[in-house]
Amino acid sequence: MKKNISVGLLGLGTVGSGVFQIIERHQEELVHQLGCGVNIKSILVRNLEKTRDVQVDSTYLTTNPEDVLNHPEIDVIIEVMGGIDETREYILKALEARKHVVTANKDLMALHGPELQNAANQYGCDLFYEASVAGGIPIVRGIEDGLVSDRIDKVMGIVNGTTNYILTKMDDEGVSYEDALKEAQELGFAEADPTADVGGLDAARKMAILARLAFSTSVDLGDVEVNGIADLALKDLQFGKQLGLTMKLIGFTHFQDNQVEVSVQPTFLSRNHPLAAVKNENNAVYVNGEAVGETMFYGPGAGGLPTATAVMSDVVVAIKNMLLDISGRSYLPPRFEKVLKTPDQRFSNYYFRLHVQDKTDTFTAISTIFNDLTISFERIIQIPEDEIVVVTHETTLEKVRNVLADLQKADVVKEVKSHFRIEGAVGE
Amino acid sequence: MKKNISVGLLGLGTVGSGVFQIIERHQEELVHQLGCGVNIKSILVRNLEKTRDVQVDSTYLTTNPEDVLNHPEIDVIIEVMGGIDETREYILKALEARKHVVTANKDLMALHGPELQNAANQYGCDLFYEASVAGGIPIVRGIEDGLVSDRIDKVMGIVNGTTNYILTKMDDEGVSYEDALKEAQELGFAEADPTADVGGLDAARKMAILARLAFSTSVDLGDVEVNGIADLALKDLQFGKQLGLTMKLIGFTHFQDNQVEVSVQPTFLSRNHPLAAVKNENNAVYVNGEAVGETMFYGPGAGGLPTATAVMSDVVVAIKNMLLDISGRSYLPPRFEKVLKTPDQRFSNYYFRLHVQDKTDTFTAISTIFNDLTISFERIIQIPEDEIVVVTHETTLEKVRNVLADLQKADVVKEVKSHFRIEGAVGE
């Protein structure tokens, strides 16, 4: 049998402990796959004395990054410490020292992915990041390998478990946003400071990574239009339900004529859309390919062991590539120059809820505002408390922005309460 | 740039035409992935004169298998002709001639997979079969690669589109089995002779392949317990619905203590189960791994282009392996000797519907029959027309068989109308 392969860990938190456990428990499977076992040689931690969930021989722990990054026997470095600037430096050092790197760090990959991937290519190393998007769901490899001969034109994801848990509670049980968030915090699905989750930034990071991968174009985090769920009114979810729509925080990216759009926003889904059935803290990524059609990958988006499983699937591929002497070829530079779609090229159906004057000509006045911008209705519904819900046929974001401006100026409209993209047909 | 790689096709039906189209249209993507293009050199057909969906230069067509199997320039042979005995011989010849083989043939892989995979290893060739299970869903690679460091203990699949279409119609619209089948036939989802689909055999073939792959044990088609949907009563679907259950034809395989069970049978799913939301002709495979937890892969289970996409993903890997000189190592022989679970080791909740005597002590008599076998109830419901529905807690298949025998002998029971496995909790 071949000599065991040695790996090093940067970090020993929830995911790191999961990786540690899998390597301990699954030696037999690893030997079966690789023809050799896997050893952990050194683990970078902040505090040597901390009590941990896993029993680790203290001689393996170190607070000096060099002990991992330049360990002569370590071939693969697993980065599960999080953070951005310091971590970026560590990974660059590791690559320079000709170590392959597996990372679960979405923040880092969203911001510095292309730079790190180029460095990996330059040093003939692999840099894998399956765990950085949607935890245990093998979506990176699913897009890379499974659909390799297809042209992907759309990726939609429920890629944040916290917000999906909150929206499920609101939609299924009529719980308010505040109460649902509190419950999510009590259950450990939401952080004490939930800003990055509920504001949509966490999902935006993952969507930037997915858009780059799916369309081979260099999307940056700043290209993602982001709206979170903190202002959502239960009322809209209830009207949506009556229209056969389910509210989800959807990461959306579309590629057409070499032009790309990426957004994260609360979106109404037709009840028949496969993503509409994804509940609680679960994640799912929907991929539409020209040839394959609609596919979806579903699973746990977070959690120590699920994320660690994704990390380990990368570790296995990195080791296989190393044993076969084919490392450093996994990253392909973008094929397409980035061109962002302009608002007149971004199409969707929309939902508006308006607080209006209770007058006989209100309906007509509002119809006229939409008609003047050639936005056609799917339906328009008067609801209690002087409100009107308008559902449009497909229109452009540009027209939506114009109609919002016109509605705000109109006498009959007291307030535009909300507006949302709709994905799929209403009332199905 | 490297020299183009030449491939040969066995068959030019729906899937073959899809492969032809993808290779024609996606040269750019193939070059990007492989560093070279892909040419089709020769295509085996039955009839040279037939009108086809794709425009093929007739000089590439042949009725002589040797023109493909022994073509000196062909490196990869794509088998999309279907059939078993003749096709098995062709594939063995192709491997012997050191050609890599990609097949979409579930019948062949279910019956002769291990033999063909061993032959591939022997000749240093790759034999891939992603398209043989669930069409465009990359489940074979999903299990092989994505979950490589995990222990999978359960795989459940909706792996037959025809039956899922029929059950969706019955469940959502209350259409009878006969009418739903007729509609599926009119839409082209069901064959004129639907026996293999509705009888469960098609799903059983796919489950034999998945069970082998997921558990690394040598399951044969004959090990799969098969029940189809031809006898399903609409009534059971309706009672199920009241209990929060959805009826699906589920391929089920479970591995525990190195013992395996595989079945295909109409099964009630808790409405919250991710598979319960899979509708119409779509397929999905649910995989439970010790570390990753619940994951699901969803997509089109059939169709020319989706299946061709899966074929092409295999072709790309086969060519990559060839270019990297690492072919012939993809198949790992089974790690576990096959031990099938005995009926006393197969656990599930169950649903029974009984036609009973309308007497005051019927309830008690039936309770006693179940109690005597230590099967405990989740609930027992009296329904119109002298029927009783019994939902049990977890029990063994052995006890279910015994209780069926006892019920059939009991005076108060006129007839056991139906019984089904239940997956997940009732009334959620």
Side-chain angles (χ1 to χ4, degrees):
Chain A
M1 200 166 88
K2 284 169 281 192
K3 208 170 130 281
N4 278 4
I5 300 292
S6 296
V7 304
L9 255 69
L10 302 175
L12 190 59
T14 316
V15 178
S17 302
V19 169
F20 186 91
Q21 279 178 57
I22 293 181
I23 291 179
E24 282 222 314
R25 288 192 204 153
H26 289 242
Q27 278 298 317
E28 212 182 324
E29 281 83 355
L30 289 164
V31 170
H32 186 67
Q33 289 288 333
L34 298 169
C36 64
V38 175
N39 292 337
I40 298 178
K41 268 275 156 15
S42 188
I43 305 174
L44 177 70
V45 295
R46 282 187 213 286
N47 176 356
L48 293 172
E49 312 302 329
K50 191 178 156 186
T51 317
R52 301 179 187 280
D53 296 341
V54 285
Q55 278 216 316
V56 186
D57 183 339
S58 63
T59 57
Y60 291 119
L61 300 182
T62 176
T63 53
N64 179 1
E66 298 300 324
D67 290 346
V68 183
L69 300 174
N70 279 307
H71 194 297
E73 292 174 46
I74 286 178
D75 287 311
V76 180
I77 288 179
I78 301 169
E79 186 275 299
V80 284
M81 59 187 275
I84 297 183
D85 293 336
E86 192 186 32
T87 316
R88 172 179 157 275
E89 269 175 47
Y90 290 176
I91 290 184
L92 286 171
K93 270 192 193 169
L95 293 168
E96 212 174 320
R98 305 297 196 274
K99 319 281 190 203
H100 310 290
V101 175
V102 172
T103 174
N105 192 325
K106 61 181 171 294
D107 308 14
L108 182 67
M109 288 307 290
L111 284 172
H112 302 295
E115 178 200 5
L116 295 172
Q117 289 176 299
N118 274 319
N121 271 20
Q122 185 190 330
Y123 295 114
C125 292
D126 280 334
L127 170 70
F128 293 137
Y129 55 98
E130 178 67 79
S132 70
V133 183
I137 307 177
I139 183 62
V140 172
R141 198 142 283 129
I143 290 181
E144 262 183 352
D145 295 350
L147 308 177
V148 85
S149 63
D150 201 359
R151 277 187 199 134
I152 295 172
D153 61 6
K154 199 198 285 192
V155 178
M156 289 169 64
I158 294 174
V159 289
N160 179 276
T162 307
T163 47
N164 203 49
Y165 182 85
I166 293 172
L167 290 176
T168 302
K169 284 281 145 187
M170 291 174 72
D171 207 36
D172 284 3
E173 297 171 25
V175 174
S176 72
Y177 169 78
E178 290 75 18
D179 289 348
L181 172 60
K182 214 193 230 166
E183 200 178 317
Q185 284 170 325
E186 281 162 11
L187 288 166
F189 295 140
E191 322 240 350
D193 176 4
T195 318
D197 288 324
V198 301
L201 179 61
D202 176 81
R205 288 170 180 147
K206 294 164 182 166
M207 291 311 297
I209 297 172
L210 287 178
R212 262 182 224 148
L213 185 72
F215 310 135
S216 196
T217 186
S218 53
V219 171
D220 298 316
L221 184 54
D223 301 325
V224 187
E225 186 189 320
V226 189
N227 282 294
I229 64 163
D231 300 326
L232 277 191
L234 206 48
K235 209 170 186 177
D236 286 312
L237 273 69
Q238 286 158 350
F239 290 126
K241 202 177 254 185
Q242 287 170 30
L243 294 163
L245 301 170
T246 304
M247 178 67 78
K248 295 287 180 190
L249 183 66
I250 294 294
F252 176 86
T253 179
H254 188 231
F255 189 69
Q256 198 173 29
D257 305 327
N258 294 357
Q259 295 177 312
V260 69
E261 68 174 296
V262 198
S263 65
V264 170
Q265 51 188 308
T267 304
F268 274 129
L269 298 178
S270 163
R271 170 189 299 153
N272 284 334
H273 196 287
L275 287 171
V278 177
K279 299 210 166 190
N280 299 318
E281 74 280 16
N282 291 301
N283 282 20
V285 180
Y286 164 97
V287 178
N288 194 70
E290 187 184 286
V292 77
E294 297 186 315
T295 60
M296 188 177 81
F297 300 74
Y298 166 99
L305 276 176
T307 308
T309 305
V311 168
M312 285 307 297
S313 77
D314 279 348
V315 170
V316 165
V317 177
I319 294 177
K320 273 189 183 171
N321 285 356
M322 207 180 82
L323 295 173
L324 298 166
D325 199 19
I326 56 163
S327 305
R329 309 181 194 180
S330 54
Y331 174 61
L332 296 164
R335 289 173 60 198
F336 301 104
E337 210 184 328
K338 177 178 70 185
V339 185
L340 294 176
K341 284 202 225 173
T342 49
D344 62 315
Q345 295 168 323
R346 296 173 58 178
F347 291 89
S348 187
N349 303 340
Y350 279 87
Y351 162 107
F352 295 82
R353 180 161 61 91
L354 315 171
H355 187 200
V356 294
Q357 305 272 10
D358 184 18
K359 296 200 295 189
T360 48
D361 62 347
T362 300
F363 247 78
T364 316
I366 287 173
S367 303
T368 309
I369 295 171
F370 281 84
N371 285 337
D372 285 352
L373 287 160
T374 66
I375 300 175
S376 70
F377 300 124
E378 207 278 331
R379 66 186 77 181
I380 173 163
I381 308 158
Q382 181 99 46
I383 56 176
E385 294 164 32
D386 301 334
E387 294 197 332
I388 279 181
V389 165
V390 176
V391 177
T392 75
H393 284 136
E394 193 169 78
T395 185
T396 65
L397 180 57
E398 185 180 38
K399 289 187 184 177
V400 166
R401 289 181 180 167
N402 291 339
V403 88
L404 284 170
D406 289 355
L407 288 167
Q408 270 144 8
K409 280 181 288 184
D411 287 341
V412 293
V413 178
K414 289 188 185 159
E415 193 188 350
V416 179
K417 287 288 192 179
S418 61
H419 70 286
F420 302 105
R421 283 189 64 239
I422 300 175
E423 189 69 27
V426 172
E428 278 189 350
Chain B
M1 199 167 87
K2 283 172 280 190
K3 209 170 129 280
N4 279 4
I5 299 292
S6 296
V7 304
L9 254 71
L10 303 174
L12 190 58
T14 317
V15 178
S17 301
V19 169
F20 185 91
Q21 279 178 57
I22 294 180
I23 292 180
E24 283 223 313
R25 288 192 205 152
H26 289 240
Q27 278 299 317
E28 212 183 324
E29 280 84 354
L30 290 165
V31 169
H32 187 66
Q33 288 289 334
L34 298 169
C36 65
V38 175
N39 294 335
I40 298 178
K41 267 276 154 20
S42 188
I43 305 174
L44 178 69
V45 295
R46 281 187 214 288
N47 176 356
L48 294 173
E49 312 302 328
K50 194 177 154 187
T51 318
R52 301 179 188 281
D53 296 341
V54 285
Q55 277 214 317
V56 187
D57 184 338
S58 63
T59 57
Y60 292 118
L61 301 181
T62 176
T63 55
N64 179 2
E66 297 302 323
D67 290 345
V68 183
L69 300 175
N70 278 307
H71 194 298
E73 293 173 45
I74 287 178
D75 286 312
V76 180
I77 287 178
I78 301 168
E79 187 276 297
V80 284
M81 60 187 275
I84 297 179
D85 294 336
E86 194 187 29
T87 316
R88 172 179 157 275
E89 269 175 48
Y90 289 175
I91 290 184
L92 287 171
K93 269 191 192 169
L95 294 168
E96 211 173 321
R98 306 297 195 274
K99 319 281 190 203
H100 309 291
V101 175
V102 172
T103 175
N105 193 326
K106 62 183 170 292
D107 308 13
L108 182 67
M109 287 307 291
L111 283 172
H112 302 296
E115 178 201 5
L116 295 173
Q117 290 176 299
N118 275 319
N121 272 20
Q122 184 190 332
Y123 294 114
C125 293
D126 281 335
L127 170 69
F128 292 138
Y129 56 97
E130 177 68 78
S132 70
V133 182
I137 308 176
I139 183 63
V140 171
R141 197 142 286 127
I143 291 180
E144 263 183 351
D145 295 351
L147 308 177
V148 86
S149 63
D150 200 0
R151 277 189 200 134
I152 295 172
D153 62 7
K154 200 199 286 194
V155 179
M156 288 170 63
I158 294 176
V159 288
N160 180 276
T162 307
T163 46
N164 202 50
Y165 182 86
I166 294 172
L167 291 175
T168 303
K169 284 280 146 186
M170 291 174 73
D171 207 35
D172 284 2
E173 298 171 24
V175 174
S176 72
Y177 168 77
E178 289 74 18
D179 289 346
L181 172 59
K182 216 197 229 164
E183 200 178 317
Q185 284 170 324
E186 282 163 9
L187 288 167
F189 295 140
E191 321 241 349
D193 176 4
T195 319
D197 289 324
V198 301
L201 179 60
D202 176 80
R205 288 172 179 146
K206 294 163 183 167
M207 292 311 298
I209 297 172
L210 287 178
R212 262 183 225 147
L213 184 71
F215 310 135
S216 195
T217 184
S218 53
V219 171
D220 298 315
L221 184 54
D223 299 326
V224 187
E225 187 189 319
V226 188
N227 283 297
I229 64 162
D231 300 326
L232 278 191
L234 207 46
K235 208 169 186 176
D236 285 312
L237 273 69
Q238 287 157 349
F239 290 126
K241 201 175 255 184
Q242 289 170 29
L243 294 163
L245 301 171
T246 303
M247 176 69 77
K248 295 286 180 190
L249 183 66
I250 294 292
F252 177 88
T253 181
H254 188 232
F255 189 68
Q256 198 174 30
D257 305 327
N258 295 359
Q259 295 177 313
V260 67
E261 69 174 296
V262 197
S263 64
V264 170
Q265 53 188 308
T267 303
F268 274 127
L269 298 178
S270 162
R271 174 189 296 153
N272 284 335
H273 196 286
L275 286 171
V278 177
K279 299 213 166 189
N280 300 318
E281 73 280 16
N282 291 301
N283 283 19
V285 180
Y286 164 99
V287 177
N288 194 71
E290 188 184 285
V292 77
E294 297 188 313
T295 62
M296 187 175 83
F297 300 75
Y298 166 97
L305 276 175
T307 308
T309 305
V311 167
M312 284 308 298
S313 76
D314 279 348
V315 170
V316 166
V317 178
I319 293 176
K320 273 189 182 169
N321 285 356
M322 207 179 82
L323 294 173
L324 299 166
D325 200 19
I326 56 163
S327 305
R329 309 182 194 178
S330 54
Y331 175 60
L332 296 165
R335 290 172 59 198
F336 300 104
E337 210 184 328
K338 177 179 72 188
V339 185
L340 294 176
K341 284 202 225 172
T342 49
D344 62 314
Q345 295 168 321
R346 296 173 58 178
F347 292 88
S348 186
N349 302 342
Y350 279 86
Y351 162 107
F352 295 82
R353 180 162 61 91
L354 314 172
H355 187 200
V356 294
Q357 305 272 11
D358 184 18
K359 296 200 296 190
T360 48
D361 63 348
T362 299
F363 247 78
T364 317
I366 287 173
S367 303
T368 310
I369 295 171
F370 281 84
N371 285 337
D372 285 351
L373 286 160
T374 64
I375 301 175
S376 69
F377 300 124
E378 205 280 332
R379 64 186 79 180
I380 174 163
I381 308 157
Q382 180 98 45
I383 57 177
E385 294 166 32
D386 302 335
E387 295 197 332
I388 279 181
V389 165
V390 175
V391 176
T392 74
H393 284 137
E394 194 169 76
T395 183
T396 66
L397 179 59
E398 185 181 37
K399 287 187 185 177
V400 167
R401 287 180 182 167
N402 291 338
V403 88
L404 284 171
D406 289 355
L407 288 167
Q408 269 142 10
K409 281 182 288 187
D411 286 340
V412 294
V413 178
K414 289 186 184 160
E415 193 187 350
V416 178
K417 288 288 193 180
S418 62
H419 70 286
F420 301 105
R421 283 190 63 238
I422 300 175
E423 188 70 26
V426 172
E428 278 189 352

